[in-house]
Amino acid sequence: MSKYIEVALVFLKLGLIGFGGPAAHIAMMEEEIVNKRKWMSNQRFLDLIGATNLIPGPNSTEMTMHCGYERAGIAGLFIAGISFIFPAVTVTTLIAWFYTSYGKLPTVEPFTYSLKAAVVGIIANALFKLVKKALKSFELGVLGLIVVVLSFLGLNEILVLLGAGLVGASFFSGRNVLKSKKLLLPISSGSIAGATIQSLGTAKIFWTFLKVGSVLYGSGYVLFAYLDAELVANGWLTREQLADAIAMGQFTPGPVLSTASFIGFQMNGVSGALAATLGIFAPSFFFVLVLNPLIDRMRKSQFLRYFLDAVNVAALAVMLVVLIRLTGETIADWRQVTIAVLSVIVVFVWKKVSSFWIILGASILGYMLYLL
């Protein structure tokens, strides 16, 4: 099989089953790319996560691009990104058409009721394996705990990651300098519906979402704030309609930024959906294209190597906070508790079971339990 076709099929599959947000997407990628297909080492995957957290854009989507680049070069970067985005954009655009035609959203809760509960186990398993590789010293563990605390206190994610990287790099570089100086000393010296969305031109839609995609850091909730400032503040749609759009991005598989497709369709049909989708995702392709070749150079520099190690641990600490919050928000009743516990048991006991079967099984079980 051609490596290009392989990349397309892998990320098309992940785009179809990628429920649960960026942390779940990255966990599924770790299983598929590192464990199953051996495209790269755990360390390389960690480096990509750490570096990706430092640039704007949807982290999990950018990780697909990095993985595609690793497997099949620049062409692989674009194939992976497009394949991962395609299912979410297609489903979201179809829902937008339904919303426009019938004035309400289709009922999807019975099918998505259990999915976030199921991905709790998937994320926990990936986090466990990645942390074992990333924690190279006691000091990095302490740094990770500090990041967990700061994240719970609500500090800006990118500032926490950059700060952790700089603190880690400075500490380990300084310690190495002290050690080298000690070696030179003598031994004796030791020691949505109901309102009309305003129609906009395709170029205006593209430019608006390009601006958002170029500066966006964080989750779907942060996306809500950016789109609120760009769209609601200008009177182009209501906050309720924006909330509907964000909800659709979270209900569908793949990146939550498919919200852009939903809004673009409302503003200017299929051409608006395409313009919004291209605008919000285009910066990510550019950032990854520039960043990926620099990661090897970072590893060759002692200071930047320590920086990357610290950022890797910080990124996993942030991922842990996401997992804890997701668990708190998702586990609302005995049905979801049951599905979450079963998910954890499956991924830790039967380690070779694919995420696809976990997601499919959770969806079917969740639907049956929802009807009780």
Side-chain angles (χ1 to χ4, degrees):
M1 180 190 297
S2 163
K3 59 185 178 181
Y4 302 115
I5 296 175
E6 182 186 18
V7 168
L9 292 177
V10 167
F11 289 104
L12 186 63
K13 182 182 82 170
L14 291 176
L16 286 168
I17 66 170
F19 291 93
H25 301 162
I26 290 173
M28 292 176 191
M29 266 180 264
E30 190 267 346
E31 178 204 333
E32 188 75 30
I33 303 304
V34 178
N35 298 332
K36 181 179 178 181
R37 298 180 181 273
K38 311 294 184 186
W39 286 3
M40 65 185 77
S41 65
N42 280 105
Q43 183 61 61
R44 181 64 175 178
F45 192 77
L46 274 170
D47 287 347
L48 295 178
I49 293 175
T52 298
N53 274 276
L54 299 177
I55 59 176
N59 292 345
S60 58
T61 305
E62 289 169 342
M63 276 297 293
T64 69
M65 299 172 191
H66 277 300
C67 293
Y69 191 104
E70 295 288 315
R71 180 61 174 165
I74 294 175
L77 181 157
F78 286 96
I79 292 170
I82 292 169
S83 298
F84 183 69
I85 294 166
F86 180 76
V89 169
T90 302
V91 173
T92 305
T93 303
L94 288 173
I95 293 174
W97 169 82
F98 188 98
Y99 185 75
T100 302
S101 302
Y102 299 100
K104 62 180 180 179
L105 296 173
T107 302
V108 294
E109 188 176 2
F111 299 98
T112 60
Y113 174 75
S114 59
L115 293 179
K116 285 189 177 180
V119 301
V120 165
I122 296 172
I123 297 172
N125 185 46
L127 193 57
F128 176 74
K129 289 183 286 187
L130 291 171
V131 165
K132 286 197 300 182
K133 184 69 177 180
L135 285 182
K136 300 177 178 179
S137 65
F138 173 78
E139 292 84 355
L140 281 174
V142 172
L143 185 63
L145 289 175
I146 293 172
V147 171
V148 168
V149 172
L150 294 178
S151 295
F152 272 120
L153 291 175
L155 270 69
N156 180 275
E157 179 182 303
I158 189 63
L159 292 180
V160 171
L161 290 168
L162 285 172
L166 291 172
V167 168
S170 300
F171 173 80
F172 289 112
S173 296
R175 188 175 66 176
N176 279 355
V177 169
L178 290 176
K179 284 183 178 179
S180 64
K181 286 183 178 180
K182 286 178 182 179
L183 291 175
L184 297 175
L185 294 173
I187 295 178
S188 59
S189 302
S191 154
I192 317 183
T196 303
I197 294 180
Q198 183 174 330
S199 178
L200 290 180
T202 302
K204 182 69 173 178
I205 293 171
F206 172 77
W207 175 245
T208 299
F209 283 93
L210 183 69
K211 285 193 294 180
V212 173
S214 298
V215 298
L216 174 68
Y217 281 99
S219 67
Y221 300 106
V222 178
L223 174 64
F224 187 97
Y226 277 92
L227 294 180
D228 185 90
E230 287 290 334
L231 304 175
V232 177
N234 288 317
W236 295 339
L237 78 166
T238 68
R239 191 162 283 114
E240 291 74 19
Q241 290 164 334
L242 177 58
D244 274 348
I246 295 288
M248 282 305 95
Q250 292 174 327
F251 273 133
T252 53
V256 73
L257 266 67
S258 61
T259 291
S261 309
F262 186 93
I263 296 172
F265 187 93
Q266 302 299 300
M267 290 179 165
N268 202 356
V270 174
S271 63
L274 290 173
T277 303
L278 181 60
I280 204 163
F281 285 110
S284 293
F285 286 94
F286 172 76
F287 290 137
V288 173
L289 185 63
V290 172
L291 177 64
N292 190 281
L294 299 178
I295 296 174
D296 285 332
R297 297 182 186 180
M298 292 175 69
R299 274 283 162 206
K300 292 177 182 177
S301 162
Q302 185 183 73
F303 182 85
L304 291 179
R305 184 168 67 250
Y306 289 138
F307 177 85
L308 198 53
D309 284 341
V311 169
N312 289 346
V313 170
L316 293 177
V318 171
M319 192 172 169
L320 174 61
V321 173
V322 170
L323 174 62
I324 294 170
R325 286 175 173 163
L326 177 65
T327 303
E329 294 169 0
T330 300
I331 312 303
D333 59 33
W334 67 270
R335 301 170 182 85
Q336 291 168 317
V337 170
T338 300
I339 291 168
V341 170
L342 287 175
S343 170
V344 171
I345 292 172
V346 169
V347 297
F348 279 96
V349 177
W350 294 285
K351 298 180 180 180
K352 294 186 178 181
V353 175
S354 169
S355 300
F356 172 79
W357 297 112
I358 295 173
I359 293 294
L360 180 61
S363 181
I364 296 170
L365 179 59
Y367 180 77
M368 292 188 293
L369 293 177
Y370 184 86
L371 297 179
L372 294 179

